[in-house]
């Protein structure tokens, strides 16, 4: 009986002592975990939140050119690099800002156009205005990196939906760890990296466990080196207007955003007017009362200068002006073509091209379709389509050389399928060798 009593007492005593022992063991683990968290906080000092906005556009060989940008962070616009820089290949840094921890929203708006012009492209003259937004959350000690990138939508049902804009969001620690981090360096580059190409490097810091029962860990942090941006000198456009009599003209400089309106005088001895502009492509339209309107295209590179000179030409009387009837433009003297020739031959009619330019400048939203035609006998039937195409392209090229933007002119050949007069007599065939000018309004 004594032996059994001793065994039962031992079991009761063990049961009473076991919870205390387990509690002591749990307390040691909690202490080790708390100590580890404290050391980690000491290794990574608390820093404010940051947001870095990047942009990676199309490559030049993709055939698209950026013509307008607008980036808003929480409703505030960002000051971004010039279009010339953003059209260059690579990733470009738009902003690196300190923000309050919490929810943020980035809205990106970009406008693209065809980088190369083709008369027969279905997207010739298109402007793709793309908008995308992304929401994200920031925390102290972390930098959120948002990269906006355009992309082509394969098999888009509508050419207007051919391009899209996407955002990629990643996060990285702002400051490296305190205890002499080991930096894994990349191999030396073949050529210097562009200004915006911040190359992330990995920082590995082993942490010493406070307790032998806890295994060491390795923390990997991505850190982007700071990049200094070199200031870009503004470009300058010099405008000069001349006329036989002193007058005033209005110039509209159309590029990114709203047109810039300028008043230019033609008084004798008047110096050209300098206009500071950012780098990019511009259209300059000139309008003066009593004179034919003119237009020019100019491309400004960063810090460069360019000059445009306009010589005002008096507008003709109403009887000799171009008219629009049922959407078709009629010149005082129609453009005519010799047999088998793709280029207009009547010099008086060629002067009518200035009337076309005047009409397009005064109606900036209008476009022009040029339809080429042949008669039924000047060339064999298989060659009539190509000859009518060539006639339409020749007139389009003349307008482009006169300053009209290529995106506002399209050309199409119709062969001999739409005769204006009977092909049985020479006069009828002469009337059929022509181009038709169709005014296209939105």
């Amino acid at each position: 009986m004594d032996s059994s009593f001793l065994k039962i007492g031992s079991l009761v005593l063990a049961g009473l002592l076991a919870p205390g022992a387990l509690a002591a063991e749990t307390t040691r683990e909690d202490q080790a975990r708390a100590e580890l968290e404290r050391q980690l906080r000491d290794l990574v000092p608390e820093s404010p939140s940051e947001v870095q906005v990047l942009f990676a556009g199309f490559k030049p060989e993709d055939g698209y050119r950026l013509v307008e940008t607008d980036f808003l962070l929480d409703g505030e616009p960002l000051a971004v690099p010039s279009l010339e820089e953003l059209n260059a290949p690579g990733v470009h840094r738009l902003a690196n800002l300190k923000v309050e921890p919490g929810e943020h929203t980035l809205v990106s708006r970009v406008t693209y156009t065809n980088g190369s012009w083709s008369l027969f492209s279905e997207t010739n003259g298109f402007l793709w205005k793309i908008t995308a937004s992304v929401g994200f959350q920031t925390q102290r000690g972390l930098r959120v990196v948002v990269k906006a990138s355009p992309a082509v939508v394969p098999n888009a049902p509508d050419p207007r939906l051919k391009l899209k804009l996407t955002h990629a969001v990643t996060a990285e620690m702002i400051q490296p760890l305190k205890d002499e981090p080991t930096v894994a360096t990349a191999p030396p580059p073949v050529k210097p990296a562009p200004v915006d190409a911040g190359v992330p490097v990995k920082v590995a810091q082993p942490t010493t466990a406070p307790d032998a029962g806890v295994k060491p860990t390795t923390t990997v942090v991505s850190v982007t080196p700071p990049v200094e941006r070199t200031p870009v000198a503004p470009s300058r456009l010099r405008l000069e207007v001349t006329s036989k009599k002193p007058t005033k003209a209005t110039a509209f400089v159309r590029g990114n955003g709203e047109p810039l309106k300028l008043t230019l005088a033609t008084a004798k001895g008047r110096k050209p007017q300098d206009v500071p502009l950012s780098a990019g492509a511009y259209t300059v339209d000139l309008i003066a009362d009593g004179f034919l309107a003119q237009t020019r295209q100019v491309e400004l590179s960063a810090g460069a200068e360019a000059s445009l000179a306009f010589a005002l030409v008096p507008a003709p009387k109403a009887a000799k002006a171009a008219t629009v009837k049922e959407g078709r433009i009629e010149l005082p003297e129609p453009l005519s073509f010799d047999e088998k020739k793709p280029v207009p031959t009547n010099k008086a009619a060629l002067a009518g091209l200035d009337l076309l330019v005047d009409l397009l400048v005064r109606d900036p939203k209008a476009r022009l379709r040029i339809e080429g035609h042949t008669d039924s006998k000047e060339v064999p039937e298989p060659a009539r389509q190509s000859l009518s195409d060539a006639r339409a392209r020749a007139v389009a090229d003349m307008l482009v050389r006169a300053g009209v933007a290529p995106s506002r002119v399209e050309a199409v050949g119709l062969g001999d399928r739409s005769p204006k007069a009977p092909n049985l007599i020479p006069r009828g065939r002469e009337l059929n060798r022509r181009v038709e000018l169709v005014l296209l309004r939105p």
Side-chain angles (χ1 to χ4, degrees):
M1 292 292 297
D2 292 343
S3 176
S4 299
F5 179 78
L6 290 175
K7 289 180 179 181
I8 293 174
S10 299
L11 291 173
V12 172
L13 182 61
L16 293 173
L17 293 176
L22 182 60
E25 183 178 355
T26 303
T27 301
R28 286 197 299 271
E29 290 181 0
D30 291 341
Q31 290 175 349
R33 186 177 295 108
E35 178 64 18
L36 180 58
E37 291 177 356
R38 185 191 64 77
Q39 291 188 15
L40 286 174
R41 285 195 300 270
D42 292 341
L43 287 171
V44 184
E46 187 173 285
S47 302
S49 304
E50 288 188 11
V51 174
Q52 186 178 97
V53 183
L54 308 177
F55 178 77
F58 286 113
K59 299 177 182 177
E61 56 267 26
D62 293 332
Y64 299 98
R65 182 165 60 88
L66 186 65
V67 296
E68 188 176 11
T69 63
D70 186 19
F71 295 90
L72 303 174
L73 181 61
D74 297 331
E76 295 295 326
L78 301 180
V80 301
S82 67
L83 289 174
E84 183 181 32
E85 293 181 74
L86 296 181
N87 273 306
V91 179
H92 308 282
R93 179 175 296 179
L94 305 184
N96 196 24
L97 306 172
K98 290 180 171 60
V99 297
E100 291 296 324
E103 297 286 341
H104 299 275
T105 302
L106 175 69
V107 178
S108 303
R109 301 188 185 100
V110 298
T111 302
Y112 273 94
T113 186
N114 284 342
S116 58
W117 179 65
S118 172
L119 288 173
F120 303 101
S121 172
E122 66 173 356
T123 58
N124 182 37
F126 269 44
L127 286 176
W128 287 275
K129 295 180 179 290
I130 322 167
T131 301
S133 62
V134 62
F136 53 89
Q137 186 170 5
T138 60
Q139 298 179 5
R140 292 195 179 276
L142 290 181
R143 176 186 295 115
V144 175
V145 181
V146 186
K147 184 172 75 172
S149 304
V152 176
V153 180
N155 303 320
D158 189 320
R160 291 170 293 183
L161 305 176
K162 190 176 182 180
L163 301 185
K164 66 177 181 179
L165 189 65
T166 62
H167 291 104
V169 181
T170 58
E172 59 190 23
M173 297 182 67
I174 294 177
Q175 296 186 11
L177 305 180
K178 282 186 175 181
D179 294 349
E180 297 182 359
T182 302
V183 179
T185 58
V190 177
K191 58 182 180 180
V195 174
D196 287 321
V199 181
V201 296
K202 290 185 177 180
V203 179
Q205 171 62 43
T207 59
T208 304
D211 193 287
V214 181
K215 296 182 179 180
T217 61
T218 301
T219 304
V220 179
V221 184
S222 178
V223 180
T224 302
V227 178
E228 295 293 333
R229 183 179 296 281
T230 304
V232 178
S235 306
R236 186 170 63 177
L237 179 62
R238 177 167 294 178
L239 299 177
E240 183 178 9
V241 183
T242 58
S243 64
K244 292 183 179 179
K245 295 182 179 181
T247 187
K248 289 185 178 181
T250 302
F252 295 91
V253 182
R254 308 181 193 275
N256 302 322
E258 292 296 320
L260 177 64
K261 184 178 178 181
L262 305 169
T263 300
L264 306 175
T266 63
K268 188 176 181 180
R270 185 84 176 187
K271 294 182 179 180
Q273 183 165 336
D274 290 340
V275 184
L277 297 168
S278 59
Y282 293 90
T283 298
V284 181
D285 295 335
L286 189 77
I287 299 176
D289 291 337
F291 297 88
L292 291 176
Q294 302 179 43
T295 184
R296 299 284 191 278
Q297 307 295 313
V298 64
E299 182 89 25
L300 290 176
S301 55
E305 297 183 5
S307 299
L308 293 178
F310 296 86
L312 294 180
V313 177
K317 296 180 180 179
K320 295 184 178 181
T323 58
V324 181
K325 294 182 179 179
E326 297 181 355
R328 294 183 178 269
I329 302 173
E330 295 184 1
L331 299 177
E333 186 169 347
L335 297 171
S336 62
F337 299 82
D338 287 342
E339 288 187 354
K340 304 180 183 180
K341 300 297 183 182
V343 180
T345 54
N346 51 336
K347 294 183 179 179
L350 291 177
L353 293 177
D354 292 338
L355 302 177
L356 287 177
V357 174
D358 175 82
L359 191 150
L360 290 173
V361 172
R362 296 180 186 276
D363 193 352
K365 294 184 178 181
R367 298 175 65 248
L368 183 67
R369 183 173 72 236
I370 304 171
E371 300 174 348
H373 299 267
T374 70
D375 66 36
S376 63
K377 293 187 177 181
E378 57 181 320
V379 293
E381 183 177 359
R384 293 171 196 163
Q385 179 63 47
S386 60
L387 179 58
S388 64
D389 289 339
R391 285 172 175 169
R393 287 198 303 271
V395 177
D397 290 342
M398 291 177 182
L399 289 173
V400 171
R401 287 196 295 270
V404 177
S407 61
R408 300 186 66 190
V409 184
E410 65 179 69
V412 62
L414 299 178
D416 64 337
R417 297 188 295 276
S418 299
K420 186 177 183 179
N423 282 299
L424 298 176
I425 58 176
R427 176 57 179 166
R429 292 193 293 273
E430 180 182 350
L431 292 175
N432 290 333
R433 297 190 296 270
R434 71 196 193 281
V435 293
E436 297 280 350
L437 307 171
V438 182
L439 192 64
L440 305 175
R441 287 192 172 100

